[in-house]
Amino acid sequence: MGNVCALSSPGGTWWMRRRRAPLPNPGSFDELHKNCKEVFPQQMEGMKLIINKNLSSHFQVCHQIHMSAVGLSGYHLNAKYIGDEQPGTNETFPLLTGDLDNTGSLNAQAACLLAERVRSKAVFQTHHSKFLTWQVDVEYRGDDCTGTLTLGNPDIINESVILVTHFLQSITPRLVLGGELVYHQRMGEEGAILTLAGKYSAQNWVATLNIGYGGAHASYYHRANQQIQVGVEFEANTRLQETSFAFGYHLNIPKANMVFKGSVDSSWCVGGVLEKKLPPLPVTLALGAFMNHWKNKFHCGFSIMVG
């Protein structure tokens, strides 16, 4: 009788203890495939010089000069202001960012914390001194869920608007389910696209799937050890009747202060980027090369980052 009472008591019931365990916040919808995408190298072409300068604990400035043999060369000035509020480990508010190039094009972003669980972000973009796009979003982050509402390019005169809503819910400590609804209206035409999403996170790997009327996007990320990471990505577009597949890997060599990222995809494009830090100097060198065997095109790039 004593054993039965012990098993039926609240402190001795395993399923009640599991139920009381708090679920983690699922994060943002845009970051579902983040782990896999960070494995792949970024395209490089020409020569790039990047100089970062911290003017204070809140203000940062970045100068970027890009010389290209294929596209247009240019200069970018990036300024960033970082506030003091830190609701999370990797989040700081308010955050103001502006990027201005030599043609007068501006890309500005402002993020602020409206409440303890509510944050907002505004993005503005101009092209050759002409207004191009702008959008505003509001995000609510609960203990085990995240909801986002985005309003893009509203135009009362032309009766056009884009409305996007996201929702993610942690079902278990490893499983996240949610969806995305995109509504657009322009010149009397309107439509909506629904996409369902799921993410499963294990100790060393993460699997993510987005599927909807417009197609599917699946990714798999695996950390073999502290030095090797791999990622596989699959995308299918029902409107364009196209599918793509890509494999990427990330190799970290701490003793040599080197990081190598490589990738190969279904369009026969093979590429890689090698980054080398030069301590004690605040300098990072990067060399990248990409070859498209299907189109018989090759381009390479070299960058120097100071600061």
Side-chain angles (χ1 to χ4, degrees):
M1 188 70 179
N3 294 334
V4 175
C5 294
L7 291 174
S8 60
S9 61
T13 307
W14 66 271
W15 61 270
M16 293 191 66
R17 292 197 303 267
R18 184 177 180 181
R19 185 180 180 182
R20 287 198 301 265
L23 296 176
N25 182 272
S28 176
F29 191 91
D30 298 332
E31 298 178 351
L32 286 176
H33 301 271
K34 181 180 179 180
N35 292 331
C36 182
K37 289 186 176 296
E38 289 181 345
V39 173
F40 290 83
Q42 294 184 354
Q43 293 279 344
M44 294 183 62
E45 189 276 323
M47 183 176 179
K48 185 180 295 184
L49 174 62
I50 303 174
I51 301 177
N52 297 315
K53 178 65 176 179
N54 293 329
L55 301 182
S56 66
S57 59
H58 299 281
F59 196 66
Q60 303 175 3
V61 176
C62 175
H63 303 272
Q64 179 176 313
I65 301 175
H66 183 207
M67 293 178 288
S68 174
V70 178
L72 297 176
S73 302
Y75 165 79
H76 284 259
L77 173 63
N78 183 281
K80 180 184 295 185
Y81 172 82
I82 304 175
D84 295 325
E85 299 182 61
Q86 293 183 345
T89 55
N90 298 324
E91 295 178 320
T92 305
F93 294 96
L95 178 63
L96 304 176
T97 306
D99 185 271
L100 181 68
D101 62 11
N102 57 300
T103 63
S105 299
L106 174 66
N107 190 348
Q109 184 177 129
C112 62
L113 196 65
L114 301 180
E116 183 180 358
R117 297 178 179 271
V118 182
R119 61 203 66 193
S120 178
K121 182 175 64 176
V123 179
F124 304 90
Q125 187 176 5
T126 63
H127 182 66
H128 294 290
S129 301
K130 293 183 179 180
F131 184 79
L132 188 62
T133 60
W134 73 279
Q135 71 176 39
V136 178
D137 66 65
V138 178
E139 181 181 84
Y140 172 81
R141 292 202 176 187
D143 294 331
D144 56 0
C145 65
T146 300
T148 308
L149 180 63
T150 303
L151 181 66
N153 293 339
D155 192 341
I156 301 177
I157 298 177
N158 296 323
E159 297 182 355
S160 64
V161 67
I162 299 176
L163 189 63
V164 183
T165 177
H166 299 144
F167 182 78
L168 291 177
Q169 174 68 54
S170 296
I171 307 301
T172 68
R174 297 179 181 269
L175 179 62
V176 175
L177 297 178
E180 175 191 58
L181 179 63
V182 180
Y183 170 81
H184 63 90
Q185 180 179 352
R186 181 180 181 184
M187 301 301 290
E189 299 180 357
E190 60 180 358
I193 299 177
L194 176 63
T195 303
L196 302 179
K199 178 181 178 181
Y200 186 86
S201 303
Q203 183 176 1
N204 296 322
W205 58 272
V206 178
T208 309
L209 173 64
N210 292 15
I211 186 169
Y213 180 78
H217 182 195
S219 67
Y220 175 79
Y221 164 82
H222 188 90
R223 175 184 288 272
N225 48 49
Q226 295 296 330
Q227 287 75 37
I228 301 176
Q229 306 173 48
V230 296
V232 180
E233 196 169 22
F234 172 82
E235 292 187 71
N237 192 315
T238 56
R239 184 175 62 87
L240 301 177
Q241 299 295 317
E242 293 181 353
T243 59
S244 62
F245 173 84
F247 171 80
Y249 58 95
H250 179 284
L251 176 62
N252 184 20
I253 310 177
K255 295 183 178 180
N257 296 313
M258 294 176 59
V259 174
F260 180 78
K261 295 182 179 181
S263 66
V264 57
D265 58 25
S266 55
S267 61
W268 298 94
C269 182
V270 181
V273 174
L274 177 65
E275 295 183 1
K276 169 69 175 178
K277 294 183 179 181
L278 304 177
L281 300 176
V283 179
T284 302
L285 305 179
L287 177 63
F290 297 86
M291 176 69 183
N292 192 320
H293 295 81
W294 187 263
K295 298 181 180 179
N296 196 23
K297 291 184 179 180
F298 172 81
H299 65 270
C300 61
F302 177 75
S303 70
I304 303 175
M305 181 183 297
V306 181

